[in-house]
Amino acid sequence: MPHERDRSDEKQDGYLTVAAEGVHETEVNRSRFRCLLAPAATEEQAQEVIARVRREHPTASHHCWAYVIGADAGVQRSGDDGEPGGTAGLPMLQMLTRRETRCLVAVVSRWFGGTKLGAGGLIRAYGGAVGAALDAVGTVERRRCRLVTVTVGHERAGRLENDLRAAGDAAVLDVRYGAEVTLDLALPAATVEDFRARLADATAGTARLELGGDTYAAGGTPPVTGGGTAA
């Protein structure tokens, strides 16, 4: 039976996830445990990964799963797929949360090797398979950023854009030219007020700044699509 846990919304400065899909295998008493980790921004994406693994590996005895969705880990689900209740999906989920990972799904496919592991053995094997996969595949950090829009006159826009790109603390996402120049930026959330003051100094108070929503990005790079946005 699936295990569920919902958490109230809370802002997180950052979290760990996987950059791309990866697989790692372990063996315990001749049973083979194949753990697939994949980014998942929504429950629908996580369920699609689980269904795909079932289709691709129909000979496995079980396909147990767990996922954590949202930068705040607001959605946490797991399933044992026929293993004794609480011996597979739940320890997988606990490993994901213990390692402070978010926006990803883990699917452990087991091929039974002929030796029963017992409840304790299953818990160690499934949780361990996820932990070993996280070590092998590796994780990346996503930091919370604030989307902002800066509007400035043409006479100051070129130098401002060059200065922003050179400084590297603001990701320039888009530049649009019209009667004025509009720059879409992503800033580390904690630096917004400092940036407002710097912008006023750099443009003699002529630039206008409009705050947008939050997103998550890898370091100083633009926001990452699929798994990186706040849920």
Side-chain angles (χ1 to χ4, degrees):
M1 175 179 294
H3 310 283
E4 303 185 2
R5 182 185 175 196
D6 292 299
R7 294 175 53 180
S8 57
D9 289 340
E10 55 187 42
K11 293 293 184 183
Q12 299 291 324
D13 288 333
Y15 63 89
L16 298 175
T17 190
V18 291
E21 190 171 297
V23 172
H24 182 70
E25 291 193 11
T26 55
E27 184 175 316
V28 180
N29 288 353
R30 295 192 297 276
S31 279
R32 174 184 164 205
F33 293 84
R34 177 187 186 273
C35 180
L36 179 139
L37 300 172
T42 65
E43 286 198 79
E44 290 75 17
Q45 289 181 8
Q47 291 291 344
E48 287 171 4
V49 171
I50 296 165
R52 173 165 57 83
V53 172
R54 291 184 190 278
R55 292 194 303 271
E56 292 177 352
H57 300 280
T59 61
S61 309
H62 307 275
H63 297 288
C64 304
W65 52 269
Y67 54 77
V68 181
I69 304 299
D72 60 355
V75 177
Q76 302 178 17
R77 313 253 193 260
S78 63
D80 297 315
D81 192 36
E83 294 282 29
T87 65
L90 187 57
M92 290 170 62
L93 179 60
Q94 289 172 338
M95 181 61 70
L96 294 179
T97 57
R98 186 181 310 138
R99 298 284 288 268
E100 298 184 350
T101 57
R102 308 282 189 267
C103 301
L104 82 167
V105 56
V107 186
V108 175
S109 303
R110 179 192 182 193
W111 284 263
F112 181 56
T115 301
K116 293 185 178 181
L117 302 181
L122 288 173
I123 290 170
R124 289 188 294 272
Y126 278 101
V130 174
L134 287 169
D135 290 337
V137 173
T139 56
V140 294
E141 186 179 26
R142 302 289 188 229
R143 301 298 297 173
R144 184 163 66 93
C145 294
R146 189 72 179 269
L147 298 175
V148 302
T149 299
V150 173
T151 305
V152 67
H154 285 266
E155 70 280 5
R156 299 183 187 272
R159 181 173 179 178
L160 177 62
E161 181 182 351
N162 289 338
D163 289 348
L164 290 171
R165 293 187 186 278
D169 56 346
V172 180
L173 306 180
D174 192 22
V175 181
R176 301 186 299 279
Y177 295 89
E180 296 179 289
V181 180
T182 302
L183 298 93
D184 293 328
L185 312 173
L187 306 174
T191 69
V192 171
E193 292 309 314
D194 286 343
F195 178 80
R196 190 192 298 273
R198 287 167 45 204
L199 180 65
D201 288 342
T203 64
T206 61
R208 302 190 304 278
L209 185 148
E210 182 179 346
L211 298 179
D214 288 338
T215 190
Y216 285 80
T221 64
V224 177
T225 301
T229 16

